[in-house]
Amino acid sequence: MKVIVVGASGTIGKGVVEALRERRAEVVCAGRSSGDVQVDLESSESIQKMYEQVGVFDALVCAAGGGMAIKAANEMSRGDYAKSFEQKLLGQIDLVLSGLKYINAGGSFTLTSGVLNEEFVPKASAIAVVNTAVEAFVRSASLEMPVRLNAVSPKLLEESKEKYSNFLIGFEGAPSSQVALSYLKCVYGIIDGTIVKVR
């Protein structure tokens, strides 16, 4: 199985890559400035170029999630929300739509949302809105897709607890190896239109 992992150098991505390789999948690592191929989720041209370089594939996992505005809602601008939508929502949607020409029959796309559209914290309204939109896209678009489409909603990663200790106060962490199992469920399973929640 040939699997593209976008955001392969991130904490979640590394766990997913390792788990896939343990199952002897052919993994193509993609990132903004690292990996086997480079891709900028804010650029349709970059996404198209990635697919042209990779060619046909069986599954894509998007574990990228950076570029989100972290500000109090009353300090946010339209541009702050737009930037967050461009990076995490529209980028992931573009991965699916552009990838349909290259994905093999029976393949799957697995996107990433997150816990902060259910457990609210200060300065995370953009994250909450975008996560909700990603999940709505998966649930609705999967009904009309020729391949499977799912999303994983991970909790705080154990490896990132210290980094976000002043932001996600009181949140329990899960190791990236555990979170990676949810992505494997999407890649190798039969679920479709599902939000797999790691809680």
Side-chain angles (χ1 to χ4, degrees), residues 60-63 92 108-112 149-152 183 186-187:
L60 177 137
V61 169
C62 182
Q92 293 197 92
S108 69
F109 293 94
T110 304
L111 308 184
T112 297
L149 173 61
N150 299 288
V152 173
Y183 289 89
C186 295
V187 171

Side-chain angles (χ1 to χ4, degrees), residues 19 21 30 68 78 83 94 110 114 167:
R21 286 180 172 159
M68 303 287 284
R78 179 182 178 128
K83 178 75 171 176
D94 202 352
T110 304
F167 181 55

Side-chain angles (χ1 to χ4, degrees), residues 4-187:
I4 304 171
V5 178
V6 178
S9 64
T11 308
I12 293 177
K14 288 177 182 176
V16 172
V17 169
E18 183 177 346
L20 287 168
R21 286 180 172 159
E22 286 177 0
R23 296 188 61 89
R24 300 188 179 180
E26 177 188 352
V27 181
V28 179
C29 296
R32 183 184 289 268
S33 58
S34 63
D36 304 308
V37 292
Q38 279 71 60
V39 62
D40 178 358
L41 293 185
E42 295 182 50
S43 167
S44 293
E45 292 77 13
S46 177
I47 290 171
Q48 179 62 34
K49 183 178 179 181
M50 177 194 73
Y51 283 127
E52 290 172 355
Q53 290 179 278
V54 173
V56 295
F57 65 98
D58 299 294
L60 177 137
V61 169
C62 182
M68 303 287 284
I70 300 178
K71 293 182 181 179
N74 63 340
E75 297 174 355
M76 291 280 287
S77 67
R78 179 182 178 128
D80 290 327
Y81 283 105
K83 178 75 171 176
S84 300
F85 269 78
E86 187 72 32
Q87 176 69 20
K88 189 171 181 180
L89 174 64
L90 298 181
Q92 293 197 92
I93 290 174
D94 202 352
L95 284 172
V96 175
L97 300 182
S98 296
L100 289 173
K101 294 183 293 185
Y102 299 90
I103 194 167
N104 283 322
S108 69
F109 293 94
T110 304
L111 308 184
T112 297
S113 59
V115 68
L116 295 183
N117 62 332
E118 295 182 359
E119 299 186 41
F120 304 119
V121 299
K123 300 184 178 180
S125 63
I127 300 173
V129 170
V130 170
N131 286 348
T132 299
V134 169
E135 295 181 4
F137 171 72
V138 166
R139 290 192 177 103
S140 60
S142 64
L143 300 173
E144 302 174 306
M145 287 287 168
V147 294
R148 295 185 300 110
L149 173 61
N150 299 288
V152 173
S153 174
K155 66 192 296 185
L156 173 66
L157 295 175
E158 192 68 43
E159 294 89 338
S160 303
K161 281 186 73 173
E162 185 174 345
K163 179 180 179 182
Y164 295 107
S165 60
N166 292 325
F167 181 55
L168 301 176
I169 300 170
F171 280 67
E172 293 184 359
S176 59
S177 58
Q178 177 186 333
V179 174
L181 296 178
S182 295
Y183 289 89
L184 290 188
K185 182 186 296 185
C186 295
V187 171

